[in-house]
Amino acid sequence: MTVMPFPPLAIDLLVTAGSIVPIEPAGVVLEHHALAVDQGRILAVLPIAEARKRYQPRKLIDLPGHALMPGLVNMHTHSAMTLLRGIADDLPMMDWLQGHIWPAEAANMNYEFCRDGVRLAMAEMIRGGQTCFNDMYFFPDASAAAAQEAGMRAAVGLIVIDFPSAWAKAGEYIHKGLALRDSLRGKPLIKTTFAPHAPYTVSDDLMRQVRQYATELGIPINMHIHETAFEVEQAVAQTGKRPWQRLRELDMLGPDLIAVHMTQLTEQEVEEVAHYGVHVAHCPESNLKLVSGFCQVHKLLQAGANVCIGTDGAASNNDLDLFSELRTASLLAKGVSGDARALPAAKALEMATLAGARALGWDDQIGSLLPGKAADFIAIDMSALNTQPVYNVISHLVYAINSRQVDHVWVAGQALLADGQLQTLVEDELRAKAGEWRHKITGKV
Amino acid sequence: MTVMPFPPLAIDLLVTAGSIVPIEPAGVVLEHHALAVDQGRILAVLPIAEARKRYQPRKLIDLPGHALMPGLVNMHTHSAMTLLRGIADDLPMMDWLQGHIWPAEAANMNYEFCRDGVRLAMAEMIRGGQTCFNDMYFFPDASAAAAQEAGMRAAVGLIVIDFPSAWAKAGEYIHKGLALRDSLRGKPLIKTTFAPHAPYTVSDDLMRQVRQYATELGIPINMHIHETAFEVEQAVAQTGKRPWQRLRELDMLGPDLIAVHMTQLTEQEVEEVAHYGVHVAHCPESNLKLVSGFCQVHKLLQAGANVCIGTDGAASNNDLDLFSELRTASLLAKGVSGDARALPAAKALEMATLAGARALGWDDQIGSLLPGKAADFIAIDMSALNTQPVYNVISHLVYAINSRQVDHVWVAGQALLADGQLQTLVEDELRAKAGEWRHKITGKV
């Protein structure tokens, strides 16, 4: 009697690769493995020979010179600000903001500006291996619509601020945000967060409302906190309290809070970040460019805090390249801590993937290549000369990669980038729109 | 009577571009200009319409979406170390050097290792817009030969060190270096420098010989100085003197000295750097990665010193991307000085071009697009989405560019990169060689 083999299983997609870095377990590189995808989810990560026996894929992609890893999660950006990229540089933060950025925004802000800016941003983010972004800006409805249209995963920040804007009157932000959230029910790629702008622009009353709704609805809160020494000093001068203390008293600290920047922290505040389970979104390049200060990443990690990473907006960076940001983060963590072992390569990769997923409460879906999670993953060409020879894939993904080596990007199994070409956004249209906005903003053709 | 027009002049090459950043004058962007090249030299930079009237080029290249600028000058690298890229990371400098790099070098060092490593490095450097590199390593004859073969401009360091190596016995370095220099007479792309490794590896006697020959022959001297606090502390403990003081007493300080790293400087030493006309080669990414310290770039520039930039070797960076290095330098100069105006974009571009040329005493030939200089220039595609929209070309070239946007590279009028393709080096061969060396070094296939 012969044993009948199992018939091969028909699946949507099989990608075979030179190596796979699943992020979970940490630090592992699986050589000559394949990723099996069906109905937008990861079915298995397994040796290529075994995969070929077990599956009959409708689409097979062989990438022997590539590494696969989870898509990057950009944990802080104001994506529409791509349209203001390079409009003003080499200025202290408040001069830059008050003298250049706010006037340009005030004169141009509308739904179309945000939609076109978000599309341009997504093109750059997808091209650079990002599958998810945590956005904070006006017209979050434009971000949500643009992300869905492009098939990109997004956490859309429901902006809350004391002042009126083109998006909402003062006092209307939470109401408009909740209405938007309601309209997004059942959209699997979109999550909402509350995005109170910063302690210095959001009153106690609004903070309390945000806390109440966030807890009731289970929505994360996403806020610029302790970005600059000036912000902290001003608060102390005006109220006698550091913003962190005020937020603690307002019950804002908790595992649903994503604290962006956090460059000004006492030893005790570092401990409290870990104690309350607050997530830190580190934006090293923006912090350097605006001289905001140095986030103590090594200390936060040693205290047990979850630290993720973001590019910030393109007006203060000036790109949305998270691989480059990650490299800066790892190098800077060593320089700032004085310890060359700080933020080693494997931990840095986790910071740009799983740590962001955790902060968004989305680690059941994304952030690592575990079976059952969404098929949000990317393929990087390791045969480029700047990553030759390959002694250590993880080292190269952090210290030597150029983000243009990302050739393929999938979100929930859909290809957003294939052989380096965008699949859901049209480059020429984005370029034309960028030119139109430049003309409108500067008066120059 | 009609005025006869001048007949158009036949020339080798005319490149028309959306913009040209000539570096001299500083901060200037020439829109819709062309660069005329004949016999390897820049003939003129002029408006496109005028260029079309005046010249009859044998080759015409129209690049309306590109910016032209001088090729970048990588002022410090150990180029053959590409073959050790990523072999050890996340370690303090002395553990990294003594535990990993020196043993790997000792086991593999020969002419072929250096030749193959330099070729791999040049491919990456050319791909990233570099036209000249200042090399310091063993087998400088291999660097010189490989650079000439590839048509790349190089300053080849005649290594001087107390210890024997596969390249030379102790006491033979200067002799071998001078013999190599002699064999390179009449090679216009190759210059030599003396490269005494560092104060802690070169005796007073050798230093005096280097000083004497350097002065007699008019060769620059190129040395790691004050790379780490440890180096300075150790010298003080052993001799009672900081290395800088010892070098001053040995008469090493002068406008022919390129001091590499310089992360440890007192206020007085900063003044002395400017006073003696010493050039500083800043390597920010290597300094961060190895926790060497922060070079006070802003203070050096304010004191009037000439500061240029290098990637260092690929074993401590881990790429040779000078555009990325420049961006790190500009961001870090702001963060370290606490002044957002530090190292603004135009000054940063000068640092990566003209400042390097000056340090090598080569600014009569390269570093800016002035008529009469060598035609060492590059073309960068500004239409990429990460540099859209374009408010300010110079800002984008520093803060937003991805080095893969470099599409064309010329050295002395010869195309080394055309439409993103290497012209004088064969990618597949380099990749195969890198794999062979990896196999030899690790025993793994």
Short mmCIF file of all heavy atoms in Angstrom, two decimals, chain B residues 151-189:
data_model
loop_
_atom_site.label_atom_id
_atom_site.label_comp_id
_atom_site.label_asym_id
_atom_site.label_seq_id
_atom_site.Cartn_x
_atom_site.Cartn_y
_atom_site.Cartn_z
N GLY B 151 39.46 55.07 -14.65
CA GLY B 151 39.32 56.48 -15.05
C GLY B 151 38.87 57.39 -13.92
O GLY B 151 38.39 58.49 -14.16
N MET B 152 39.03 56.93 -12.68
CA MET B 152 38.61 57.74 -11.54
C MET B 152 39.81 58.50 -10.99
O MET B 152 40.93 58.02 -10.98
CB MET B 152 38.01 56.84 -10.46
CG MET B 152 37.29 57.62 -9.36
SD MET B 152 36.34 56.54 -8.26
CE MET B 152 35.65 57.79 -7.16
N ARG B 153 39.55 59.72 -10.53
CA ARG B 153 40.61 60.54 -9.96
C ARG B 153 40.86 60.07 -8.52
O ARG B 153 39.92 59.82 -7.77
CB ARG B 153 40.19 62.00 -9.98
CG ARG B 153 41.32 62.99 -9.76
CD ARG B 153 40.83 64.43 -9.87
NE ARG B 153 40.34 64.78 -11.18
CZ ARG B 153 41.10 65.19 -12.20
NH1 ARG B 153 42.40 65.30 -12.04
NH2 ARG B 153 40.55 65.49 -13.36
N ALA B 154 42.14 59.98 -8.14
CA ALA B 154 42.44 59.49 -6.79
C ALA B 154 43.69 60.15 -6.23
O ALA B 154 44.65 60.42 -6.95
CB ALA B 154 42.63 57.97 -6.80
N ALA B 155 43.61 60.43 -4.94
CA ALA B 155 44.81 60.77 -4.18
C ALA B 155 45.17 59.51 -3.41
O ALA B 155 44.38 59.02 -2.60
CB ALA B 155 44.52 61.93 -3.23
N VAL B 156 46.32 58.97 -3.71
CA VAL B 156 46.71 57.69 -3.15
C VAL B 156 47.66 57.94 -1.98
O VAL B 156 48.70 58.58 -2.15
CB VAL B 156 47.39 56.83 -4.23
CG1 VAL B 156 47.98 55.57 -3.63
CG2 VAL B 156 46.38 56.50 -5.32
N GLY B 157 47.27 57.46 -0.83
CA GLY B 157 48.07 57.69 0.37
C GLY B 157 49.24 56.72 0.45
O GLY B 157 49.05 55.50 0.40
N LEU B 158 50.43 57.27 0.59
CA LEU B 158 51.62 56.44 0.78
C LEU B 158 51.68 56.13 2.27
O LEU B 158 52.14 56.95 3.07
CB LEU B 158 52.86 57.19 0.30
CG LEU B 158 52.77 57.74 -1.13
CD1 LEU B 158 54.01 58.55 -1.48
CD2 LEU B 158 52.55 56.60 -2.14
N ILE B 159 51.18 54.96 2.62
CA ILE B 159 51.00 54.60 4.03
C ILE B 159 52.37 54.52 4.73
O ILE B 159 53.34 54.01 4.18
CB ILE B 159 50.21 53.27 4.15
CG1 ILE B 159 49.97 52.86 5.60
CG2 ILE B 159 50.90 52.14 3.41
CD1 ILE B 159 48.82 53.57 6.23
N VAL B 160 52.40 55.07 5.95
CA VAL B 160 53.62 55.04 6.78
C VAL B 160 53.19 54.61 8.18
O VAL B 160 52.28 55.22 8.76
CB VAL B 160 54.29 56.44 6.84
CG1 VAL B 160 55.50 56.41 7.78
CG2 VAL B 160 54.70 56.90 5.44
N ILE B 161 53.81 53.56 8.67
CA ILE B 161 53.40 53.03 9.97
C ILE B 161 54.61 52.30 10.57
O ILE B 161 55.50 51.86 9.83
CB ILE B 161 52.15 52.12 9.80
CG1 ILE B 161 51.49 51.77 11.14
CG2 ILE B 161 52.48 50.86 9.00
CD1 ILE B 161 50.07 51.21 10.97
N ASP B 162 54.65 52.21 11.91
CA ASP B 162 55.83 51.62 12.55
C ASP B 162 55.97 50.11 12.31
O ASP B 162 57.05 49.56 12.46
CB ASP B 162 55.76 51.84 14.08
CG ASP B 162 56.08 53.29 14.46
OD1 ASP B 162 56.70 54.00 13.65
OD2 ASP B 162 55.69 53.70 15.57
N PHE B 163 54.84 49.47 12.01
CA PHE B 163 54.82 48.01 12.02
C PHE B 163 54.92 47.42 10.61
O PHE B 163 54.49 48.04 9.65
CB PHE B 163 53.52 47.53 12.69
CG PHE B 163 53.25 48.28 13.94
CD1 PHE B 163 52.23 49.23 14.00
CD2 PHE B 163 54.04 48.08 15.06
CE1 PHE B 163 52.00 49.95 15.16
CE2 PHE B 163 53.81 48.80 16.23
CZ PHE B 163 52.80 49.73 16.28
N PRO B 164 55.44 46.20 10.52
CA PRO B 164 55.48 45.56 9.20
C PRO B 164 54.08 45.13 8.76
O PRO B 164 53.19 44.94 9.58
CB PRO B 164 56.37 44.33 9.44
CG PRO B 164 56.20 44.02 10.89
CD PRO B 164 55.98 45.34 11.58
N SER B 165 53.90 44.98 7.46
CA SER B 165 52.63 44.49 6.92
C SER B 165 52.95 43.72 5.64
O SER B 165 54.11 43.64 5.22
CB SER B 165 51.72 45.67 6.58
OG SER B 165 52.26 46.40 5.49
N ALA B 166 51.91 43.19 5.03
CA ALA B 166 52.12 42.47 3.77
C ALA B 166 52.66 43.42 2.69
O ALA B 166 53.32 43.00 1.75
CB ALA B 166 50.82 41.83 3.31
N TRP B 167 52.40 44.72 2.85
CA TRP B 167 52.84 45.69 1.85
C TRP B 167 54.30 46.07 2.02
O TRP B 167 55.04 46.19 1.04
CB TRP B 167 51.94 46.93 1.94
CG TRP B 167 52.50 48.22 1.38
CD1 TRP B 167 52.79 49.36 2.07
CD2 TRP B 167 52.85 48.51 0.01
NE1 TRP B 167 53.28 50.33 1.24
CE2 TRP B 167 53.32 49.84 -0.05
CE3 TRP B 167 52.81 47.76 -1.18
CZ2 TRP B 167 53.74 50.45 -1.23
CZ3 TRP B 167 53.23 48.37 -2.36
CH2 TRP B 167 53.68 49.69 -2.38
N ALA B 168 54.77 46.21 3.27
CA ALA B 168 56.14 46.66 3.47
C ALA B 168 56.67 46.22 4.83
O ALA B 168 55.90 46.05 5.78
CB ALA B 168 56.23 48.19 3.36
N LYS B 169 57.98 46.03 4.89
CA LYS B 169 58.60 45.78 6.19
C LYS B 169 58.66 47.10 6.96
O LYS B 169 58.62 48.18 6.36
CB LYS B 169 60.03 45.27 5.98
CG LYS B 169 60.07 43.89 5.35
CD LYS B 169 61.51 43.41 5.16
CE LYS B 169 61.52 42.19 4.23
NZ LYS B 169 62.81 42.04 3.54
N ALA B 170 58.79 47.00 8.30
CA ALA B 170 58.97 48.20 9.10
C ALA B 170 60.21 48.93 8.57
O ALA B 170 61.21 48.29 8.26
CB ALA B 170 59.15 47.84 10.58
N GLY B 171 60.12 50.23 8.43
CA GLY B 171 61.28 50.99 7.95
C GLY B 171 61.35 51.12 6.44
O GLY B 171 62.13 51.91 5.92
N GLU B 172 60.51 50.36 5.73
CA GLU B 172 60.55 50.41 4.26
C GLU B 172 59.45 51.26 3.64
O GLU B 172 59.41 51.45 2.43
CB GLU B 172 60.40 49.00 3.70
CG GLU B 172 61.66 48.19 3.70
CD GLU B 172 61.49 46.91 2.88
OE1 GLU B 172 60.34 46.58 2.50
OE2 GLU B 172 62.50 46.23 2.66
N TYR B 173 58.48 51.70 4.49
CA TYR B 173 57.28 52.34 3.94
C TYR B 173 57.59 53.57 3.10
O TYR B 173 57.08 53.75 2.01
CB TYR B 173 56.30 52.70 5.07
CG TYR B 173 55.59 51.49 5.63
CD1 TYR B 173 56.11 50.79 6.71
CD2 TYR B 173 54.41 51.06 5.07
CE1 TYR B 173 55.47 49.67 7.22
CE2 TYR B 173 53.75 49.95 5.57
CZ TYR B 173 54.28 49.26 6.65
OH TYR B 173 53.64 48.16 7.14
N ILE B 174 58.44 54.45 3.66
CA ILE B 174 58.71 55.69 2.93
C ILE B 174 59.42 55.39 1.61
O ILE B 174 59.05 55.92 0.56
CB ILE B 174 59.50 56.67 3.82
CG1 ILE B 174 58.56 57.17 4.95
CG2 ILE B 174 60.03 57.85 2.99
CD1 ILE B 174 59.18 58.19 5.87
N HIS B 175 60.36 54.51 1.67
CA HIS B 175 61.10 54.13 0.46
C HIS B 175 60.15 53.56 -0.60
O HIS B 175 60.18 53.97 -1.77
CB HIS B 175 62.16 53.09 0.86
CG HIS B 175 62.88 52.50 -0.30
ND1 HIS B 175 63.89 53.15 -0.97
CD2 HIS B 175 62.70 51.31 -0.94
CE1 HIS B 175 64.32 52.39 -1.96
NE2 HIS B 175 63.62 51.26 -1.96
N LYS B 176 59.29 52.62 -0.18
CA LYS B 176 58.36 52.03 -1.16
C LYS B 176 57.38 53.06 -1.68
O LYS B 176 56.99 53.05 -2.85
CB LYS B 176 57.59 50.86 -0.52
CG LYS B 176 58.43 49.62 -0.35
CD LYS B 176 57.59 48.36 -0.15
CE LYS B 176 57.03 47.84 -1.47
NZ LYS B 176 56.58 46.44 -1.38
N GLY B 177 56.95 53.95 -0.77
CA GLY B 177 56.01 55.00 -1.18
C GLY B 177 56.62 55.92 -2.22
O GLY B 177 55.99 56.24 -3.23
N LEU B 178 57.86 56.31 -1.97
CA LEU B 178 58.51 57.23 -2.91
C LEU B 178 58.74 56.56 -4.27
O LEU B 178 58.60 57.19 -5.32
CB LEU B 178 59.83 57.75 -2.32
CG LEU B 178 59.66 58.72 -1.14
CD1 LEU B 178 61.02 59.05 -0.52
CD2 LEU B 178 58.93 59.99 -1.58
N ALA B 179 59.05 55.27 -4.23
CA ALA B 179 59.23 54.55 -5.49
C ALA B 179 57.91 54.49 -6.26
O ALA B 179 57.88 54.67 -7.50
CB ALA B 179 59.76 53.14 -5.21
N LEU B 180 56.82 54.25 -5.52
CA LEU B 180 55.50 54.24 -6.18
C LEU B 180 55.20 55.61 -6.78
O LEU B 180 54.75 55.73 -7.92
CB LEU B 180 54.41 53.84 -5.17
CG LEU B 180 52.97 53.97 -5.68
CD1 LEU B 180 52.73 53.07 -6.90
CD2 LEU B 180 51.97 53.61 -4.57
N ARG B 181 55.47 56.65 -5.97
CA ARG B 181 55.22 58.01 -6.46
C ARG B 181 55.97 58.26 -7.76
O ARG B 181 55.44 58.81 -8.72
CB ARG B 181 55.65 59.02 -5.40
CG ARG B 181 55.40 60.44 -5.83
CD ARG B 181 55.63 61.44 -4.73
NE ARG B 181 55.24 62.74 -5.24
CZ ARG B 181 56.03 63.53 -5.96
NH1 ARG B 181 57.27 63.16 -6.24
NH2 ARG B 181 55.57 64.69 -6.41
N ASP B 182 57.19 57.81 -7.79
CA ASP B 182 58.01 58.00 -8.97
C ASP B 182 57.41 57.31 -10.19
O ASP B 182 57.41 57.86 -11.30
CB ASP B 182 59.40 57.42 -8.68
CG ASP B 182 60.48 58.33 -9.20
OD1 ASP B 182 60.36 59.55 -8.99
OD2 ASP B 182 61.43 57.82 -9.82
N SER B 183 56.84 56.12 -9.96
CA SER B 183 56.28 55.36 -11.08
C SER B 183 54.99 55.98 -11.60
O SER B 183 54.50 55.60 -12.65
CB SER B 183 56.03 53.92 -10.64
OG SER B 183 54.87 53.87 -9.82
N LEU B 184 54.43 56.92 -10.81
CA LEU B 184 53.13 57.52 -11.20
C LEU B 184 53.30 58.89 -11.86
O LEU B 184 52.31 59.56 -12.14
CB LEU B 184 52.23 57.64 -9.96
CG LEU B 184 51.77 56.32 -9.35
CD1 LEU B 184 51.12 56.55 -7.99
CD2 LEU B 184 50.81 55.59 -10.28
N ARG B 185 54.51 59.31 -12.09
CA ARG B 185 54.73 60.59 -12.78
C ARG B 185 53.98 60.62 -14.10
O ARG B 185 53.96 59.64 -14.83
CB ARG B 185 56.22 60.74 -13.13
CG ARG B 185 57.07 61.25 -12.02
CD ARG B 185 58.53 61.13 -12.43
NE ARG B 185 59.40 61.27 -11.28
CZ ARG B 185 59.78 62.45 -10.77
NH1 ARG B 185 59.38 63.57 -11.33
NH2 ARG B 185 60.54 62.49 -9.70
N GLY B 186 53.38 61.78 -14.36
CA GLY B 186 52.73 61.94 -15.66
C GLY B 186 51.38 61.28 -15.76
O GLY B 186 50.81 61.19 -16.84
N LYS B 187 50.84 60.79 -14.64
CA LYS B 187 49.49 60.23 -14.64
C LYS B 187 48.56 61.32 -14.11
O LYS B 187 48.53 61.56 -12.89
CB LYS B 187 49.40 59.01 -13.73
CG LYS B 187 50.45 57.95 -13.98
CD LYS B 187 50.26 57.26 -15.31
CE LYS B 187 51.28 56.13 -15.49
NZ LYS B 187 51.28 55.63 -16.88
N PRO B 188 47.80 61.99 -14.96
CA PRO B 188 47.10 63.20 -14.52
C PRO B 188 45.98 62.94 -13.51
O PRO B 188 45.63 63.84 -12.76
CB PRO B 188 46.52 63.77 -15.82
CG PRO B 188 46.45 62.60 -16.75
CD PRO B 188 47.59 61.70 -16.39
N LEU B 189 45.45 61.72 -13.46
CA LEU B 189 44.35 61.46 -12.53
C LEU B 189 44.83 61.08 -11.13
O LEU B 189 44.03 61.01 -10.20
CB LEU B 189 43.44 60.35 -13.06
CG LEU B 189 42.70 60.63 -14.37
CD1 LEU B 189 41.80 59.45 -14.73
CD2 LEU B 189 41.86 61.91 -14.25
#
